[in-house]
Amino acid sequence: MFTIGEFSKITGLTIKALRLYHEKGIIEPHAVDQQTGYRYYNHQDAEKARVIRLLKDMMLGLEDIADILKDCSDDADAVGILERHRNRLEDRINDLRKAKGYVDSILNSEREAIAMTKDNSSEIVEKHVPDIRIASIRWKGRYGDTGKYFGRLAKSLARHLAGRPFNMYYDEGFKEEDADIESCFPVREGREIKAPEGVSIRSLSGGKVVSIMHKGPYEQLGRSYERITSHLKEKNYKVVAPPREVYIKGPGFIFKGNPKNYLTEIQFPVSE
Amino acid sequence: MFTIGEFSKITGLTIKALRLYHEKGIIEPHAVDQQTGYRYYNHQDAEKARVIRLLKDMMLGLEDIADILKDCSDDADAVGILERHRNRLEDRINDLRKAKGYVDSILNSEREAIAMTKDNSSEIVEKHVPDIRIASIRWKGRYGDTGKYFGRLAKSLARHLAGRPFNMYYDEGFKEEDADIESCFPVREGREIKAPEGVSIRSLSGGKVVSIMHKGPYEQLGRSYERITSHLKEKNYKVVAPPREVYIKGPGFIFKGNPKNYLTEIQFPVSE
DNA sequence: TTGCTCCTCACGTCACGTGAGGTGGC
DNA sequence: TTGCTCCTCACGTCACGTGAGGTGGC
């Protein structure tokens, strides 16, 4: 016979828990002193405690545990309860995974934004960009709808994203309405990705680009475009592919943020 | 301006939740009628509600949500909180996975036990068993310690198990103490499995066996051994590998069950 | 007598849901 | 006047943990 303290040490269950289990009829101590109310446990109780610990390792609730202890004397008897429990566990895992997916996509996005914010002078530079693999949606409409398409890409491809989103502009000049735009997200190499409806997965050639970092709201992008196009003319460069606008830092998933802090890189692919 | 009911429909948050958020200072309605206590919400409140829904989708707690709404105006500001949250989510996922692993191993075990209980006549039969891949521990001691080794295998290889556990006996006759025993669990083919300390993963040849199904407690296995060995003699079979005892139904993970219901198949591999 | 162990309340946790009981506006 | 909407308590959830305040045995 053990006092509750001794029994607690033997079984690894806390005293508080043991008292609760008594109250709920899950482990009734073998004897209770009428005078003092002291609980006394024996070896049979210890066996029950072992089972409870096992079942708690499976994260079963006390109600299920009580049912199992009451109705089962063989593992096979518990299959029904365990099957239900297994499904609930699976559901909870899936919910958590989904939540973690959201959080991860924000964190990745922010981490990349920070890394790419390092070199943010506003000077015009010439550089080489590598080939990348992208997931993209090509659409027609107004510039301001861009966020919708990035949202769609991010939601359906969260796990695969690997870089900052960008737009490619297929029109010759600037178009207010009905612009021909491809919204792109870089995705990881290697893995097989099944493209959602309306999304194309393909690889995009790199090469020489003339680029400028634009700081501030999108309404002021025009200024940077002017600067870069006059540079192109000056140097007599030939533009060989649609210009890209890479959104280093823009509206976030959660907050819009302050447009003054937006960072956008404009790239014009030119011949070597 | 919206009443709480309208605002609830717009935002998808319940009225009860909205009242709670008010109380906690998470969304203060734009105006409250002093007379009636009616809450009135506006478009700014709706923007806050959108953010809350996003954050709830990430399974953030109200306290974190309150902090984010108070301190952040850009996704980047929330990175610290989100990182902590991500880790907690991951921990919870791992805990749940572990729990699910336990449950799964019991369910698989029981399902297989049921499937293999179908043909349970007590007649001696001759049959062919296929090659199988096993995880095993070879040890010396007394028969009764077997459970310990199966427990160890089951715990460390839960996800890979694919069949009923069995022992192989390497001694010539019966040995009370210091018996030379290999405790085995069939494991899934294909996947790479890294063997835990003391466990070997290998493949075991099948072939012709003489087998008998023993019903009842292990103490009575002797009888079935007698029957099968006299059969072997009668037919003049040559035993070509250590006999196996397959525990179709024995003590469970949770309960010992009733030994009267135990089912054990004894197999003697013989030459073709 | 001093610690130690045990006892029984009662309250807190987390994000609401479920009433009860009542009031104001159409 | 009848519904409908809104209000404020108060209680329940789940498995204990954390005291408070007190008693019995060495």
Side-chain angles (χ1 to χ4, degrees):
Chain A
M1 300 272 270
F2 313 107
T3 65
I4 198 168
E6 293 161 349
F7 194 66
S8 163
K9 272 169 205 152
I10 293 167
T11 60
L13 299 167
T14 67
I15 292 176
K16 291 284 177 180
L18 287 169
R19 290 208 265 251
L20 182 73
Y21 299 162
H22 181 188
E23 193 186 317
K24 297 217 169 193
I26 294 174
I27 308 186
E28 313 263 8
H30 177 248
V32 177
D33 188 313
Q34 293 295 24
Q35 209 66 95
T36 64
Y38 277 34
R39 296 168 175 84
Y40 294 100
Y41 295 87
N42 67 7
H43 282 287
Q44 269 182 45
D45 300 327
E47 171 58 17
K48 261 195 174 179
R50 190 190 59 81
V51 171
I52 289 172
R53 291 209 37 189
L54 263 173
L55 297 176
K56 283 186 70 62
D57 285 347
M58 298 177 204
M59 289 187 158
L60 277 151
L62 288 191
E63 204 169 334
D64 283 336
I65 291 179
D67 287 347
I68 290 177
L69 282 171
K70 186 153 49 64
D71 302 333
C72 306
S73 60
D74 187 305
D75 287 16
D77 303 334
V79 163
I81 293 174
L82 292 181
E83 242 154 16
R84 244 192 315 126
H85 184 58
R86 199 205 89 100
N87 293 338
R88 284 190 309 232
L89 283 177
E90 197 162 56
D91 289 348
R92 283 168 63 191
I93 290 172
N94 287 335
D95 289 350
L96 286 166
R97 275 224 193 104
K98 216 177 195 174
K100 180 163 167 281
Y102 288 149
V103 178
D104 276 339
S105 58
I106 293 176
L107 287 175
N108 283 336
S109 170
E110 289 304 317
R111 266 196 279 271
E112 268 158 18
I114 288 163
M116 296 183 73
T117 308
K118 293 252 166 79
D119 53 333
N120 65 351
S121 85
S122 295
E123 293 315 300
I124 290 172
V125 294
E126 302 181 1
K127 62 180 189 181
H128 279 263
V129 297
D131 295 352
I132 48 172
R133 190 182 184 206
I134 60 166
S136 73
I137 301 175
R138 184 143 174 193
W139 52 282
K140 289 200 171 199
R142 28 177 58 244
Y143 181 83
D145 295 334
T146 295
K148 213 166 57 188
Y149 296 97
F150 285 139
R152 199 184 296 173
L153 285 167
K155 209 150 207 179
S156 56
L157 293 160
R159 293 173 308 137
H160 305 292
L161 306 184
R164 305 266 62 209
F166 60 93
N167 270 351
M168 294 202 288
Y169 295 98
Y170 286 90
D171 298 305
E172 277 304 308
F174 176 73
K175 256 188 153 181
E176 182 84 42
E177 320 240 337
D178 207 38
D180 184 1
I181 299 178
E182 185 169 12
S183 294
C184 315
F185 246 117
V187 293
R188 260 179 258 287
E189 302 285 342
R191 280 190 243 172
E192 177 131 6
I193 300 173
K194 64 161 189 270
E197 179 74 17
V199 173
S200 90
I201 310 272
R202 68 178 207 274
S203 130
L204 196 64
S205 304
K208 187 176 180 179
V209 301
V210 176
S211 121
I212 188 172
M213 193 67 80
H214 173 84
K215 292 182 194 173
Y218 298 138
E219 290 77 36
Q220 292 166 16
L221 273 169
R223 294 186 204 169
S224 295
Y225 270 99
E226 273 171 35
R227 285 185 62 198
I228 201 167
T229 45
S230 57
H231 178 91
L232 290 170
K233 249 182 211 161
E234 211 169 279
K235 297 266 186 166
N236 214 8
Y237 278 131
K238 202 181 145 204
V239 177
V240 296
R244 306 179 190 176
E245 249 172 39
V246 186
Y247 304 102
I248 311 293
K249 174 142 193 62
F253 288 84
I254 310 173
F255 296 105
K256 269 194 312 204
N258 186 344
K260 278 189 190 163
N261 300 327
Y262 289 178
L263 270 179
T264 312
E265 188 188 1
I266 303 167
Q267 297 179 346
F268 276 86
V270 295
S271 54
E272 301 284 328
Chain B
M1 300 273 272
F2 312 107
T3 64
I4 197 168
E6 293 161 350
F7 194 65
S8 162
K9 271 170 205 152
I10 293 168
T11 60
L13 299 167
T14 67
I15 292 177
K16 291 284 176 178
L18 287 169
R19 291 209 263 251
L20 182 73
Y21 299 161
H22 181 187
E23 193 186 317
K24 297 218 169 193
I26 294 174
I27 308 187
E28 313 264 7
H30 176 249
V32 178
D33 188 311
Q34 292 296 22
Q35 209 67 91
T36 64
Y38 276 34
R39 297 167 176 85
Y40 294 99
Y41 295 87
N42 67 7
H43 282 289
Q44 268 182 47
D45 299 328
E47 171 58 18
K48 261 195 175 181
R50 191 192 58 82
V51 172
I52 289 172
R53 289 207 40 187
L54 261 175
L55 296 176
K56 284 186 70 61
D57 284 346
M58 299 178 203
M59 289 188 159
L60 276 152
L62 287 192
E63 203 169 334
D64 282 337
I65 291 178
D67 287 347
I68 291 176
L69 282 171
K70 186 152 51 63
D71 302 333
C72 306
S73 60
D74 186 304
D75 287 15
D77 303 334
V79 163
I81 292 175
L82 291 181
E83 241 155 16
R84 244 192 316 124
H85 184 59
R86 199 206 90 100
N87 293 337
R88 284 190 309 232
L89 283 177
E90 195 162 56
D91 290 347
R92 282 167 64 191
I93 290 173
N94 286 336
D95 289 349
L96 286 166
R97 276 223 194 106
K98 215 177 194 173
K100 178 162 168 281
Y102 287 149
V103 178
D104 276 338
S105 58
I106 293 177
L107 287 174
N108 283 336
S109 171
E110 290 304 318
R111 266 196 278 271
E112 268 158 17
I114 287 162
M116 296 184 72
T117 307
K118 294 250 165 82
D119 52 333
N120 65 354
S121 86
S122 296
E123 294 314 300
I124 291 171
V125 294
E126 300 181 2
K127 63 179 188 182
H128 279 262
V129 296
D131 296 350
I132 47 172
R133 190 182 185 208
I134 59 166
S136 73
I137 302 175
R138 183 141 175 196
W139 53 282
K140 289 201 169 196
R142 29 176 60 242
Y143 180 83
D145 296 334
T146 295
K148 213 165 57 188
Y149 297 97
F150 285 138
R152 201 183 296 171
L153 286 167
K155 210 153 207 176
S156 56
L157 294 159
R159 294 173 305 140
H160 305 293
L161 306 184
R164 305 268 61 208
F166 60 95
N167 270 350
M168 295 201 287
Y169 294 98
Y170 286 91
D171 298 305
E172 277 304 308
F174 176 73
K175 255 186 151 182
E176 182 83 41
E177 321 241 338
D178 207 39
D180 184 0
I181 299 177
E182 186 171 11
S183 293
C184 315
F185 246 116
V187 292
R188 259 180 261 284
E189 303 284 342
R191 281 191 244 173
E192 178 133 3
I193 301 175
K194 64 164 189 266
E197 179 73 17
V199 173
S200 89
I201 311 272
R202 66 175 207 277
S203 126
L204 196 64
S205 304
K208 185 176 181 181
V209 300
V210 177
S211 122
I212 189 173
M213 194 67 81
H214 172 83
K215 292 181 193 171
Y218 298 138
E219 291 76 37
Q220 291 166 16
L221 274 169
R223 294 187 203 167
S224 294
Y225 270 99
E226 272 172 36
R227 286 183 60 197
I228 201 168
T229 45
S230 56
H231 179 91
L232 290 170
K233 249 182 213 158
E234 211 170 277
K235 297 268 185 166
N236 215 7
Y237 278 130
K238 204 182 142 200
V239 177
V240 295
R244 306 178 190 176
E245 249 170 38
V246 186
Y247 305 102
I248 311 293
K249 173 144 193 61
F253 288 85
I254 309 172
F255 296 105
K256 270 194 313 203
N258 187 345
K260 277 188 190 162
N261 300 327
Y262 289 179
L263 271 179
T264 312
E265 187 187 2
I266 303 167
Q267 296 178 347
F268 276 85
V270 295
S271 54
E272 301 285 328

